Amino acid sequence: MLNLESLPGEWSNYDLMVSASMLEYVPREELVRALSQLRSRLASNGVLLLFVTPKNWITKLNLSSHIVESST
């Protein structure tokens, strides 16, 4: 997972951030940290817009292969 803390400090204060079909690939135990790091880059009234792909047989296959690849 991208460590947002390693990015330059000036990469912050965004009015809008969009994440499309990416959080499905973040391990469940890392999800809170990932969302917190994204939120830390937003302006005080910024918006984090998330699109999460509904689970279906295609995403289940993709997630399963991603987890297997990540653990090897």
Side-chain angles (χ1 to χ4, degrees):
M1 182 173 76
L2 175 63
N3 182 0
L4 295 178
E5 295 163 350
S6 67
L7 296 176
E10 61 270 8
W11 289 11
S12 62
N13 207 30
Y14 291 101
D15 294 321
L16 173 66
M17 294 175 70
V18 178
S19 173
S21 300
M22 295 303 296
L23 292 176
E24 297 93 314
Y25 300 98
V26 175
R28 182 175 292 201
E29 60 274 4
E30 295 290 325
L31 189 57
V32 171
R33 187 173 76 90
L35 290 171
S36 177
Q37 286 187 348
L38 290 172
R39 174 63 185 101
S40 73
R41 296 292 173 148
L42 286 172
S44 61
N45 291 326
V47 174
L48 177 58
L49 181 60
L50 304 173
F51 293 93
V52 179
T53 306
K55 287 187 178 181
N56 59 45
W57 70 272
I58 295 172
T59 55
K60 186 174 181 180
L61 286 175
N62 287 339
L63 287 173
S64 296
S65 64
H66 176 74
I67 291 168
V68 169
E69 292 171 9
S70 296
S71 64
T72 57

